[in-house]
Amino acid sequence: LLSEIEKSVNEVSEVLTGIANSSIQEESGIEQINQAVMELNNITQENSNMAQDSAMSSKEVSDRTENMVDEISYFKFQNDKK
């Protein structure tokens, strides 16, 4: 009877060891996923900032172009005599 109990205890111990090892591996995997998600979040934020900068630069170029066209419109060119 004691040998059967010892055998059962050993089997339960092996199962618990397997569960503990699986939990450690799962925790490691979750940490890797968390790091990847944080990196994606940082990249997304950087892309958003670059898009905003690009939009502001485009607006500035557009405004400067408009100003330049306005300033150039004061000049008459020889081709405009028609």
Side-chain angles (χ1 to χ4, degrees), residues 53-66:
D53 290 346
S54 179
M56 287 175 30
S57 294
S58 293
K59 174 72 171 124
E60 185 177 341
V61 167
S62 177
D63 291 345
R64 287 184 179 187
T65 301
E66 266 185 49

Side-chain angles (χ1 to χ4, degrees), residues 14-71:
E14 287 177 17
V15 169
L16 291 176
T17 300
I19 291 171
N21 289 336
S22 294
S23 294
I24 290 169
Q25 290 176 352
E26 184 176 346
E27 180 182 1
S28 175
I30 289 171
E31 284 180 25
Q32 290 175 351
I33 290 170
N34 189 36
Q35 287 177 344
V37 168
M38 287 189 323
E39 286 180 29
L40 285 172
N41 188 36
N42 289 338
I43 290 170
T44 300
Q45 186 64 40
E46 288 175 11
N47 284 345
S48 175
N49 291 340
M50 286 190 293
Q52 287 177 348
D53 290 346
S54 179
M56 287 175 30
S57 294
S58 293
K59 174 72 171 124
E60 185 177 341
V61 167
S62 177
D63 291 345
R64 287 184 179 187
T65 301
E66 266 185 49
N67 288 341
M68 187 179 292
V69 167
D70 288 344
E71 290 177 10

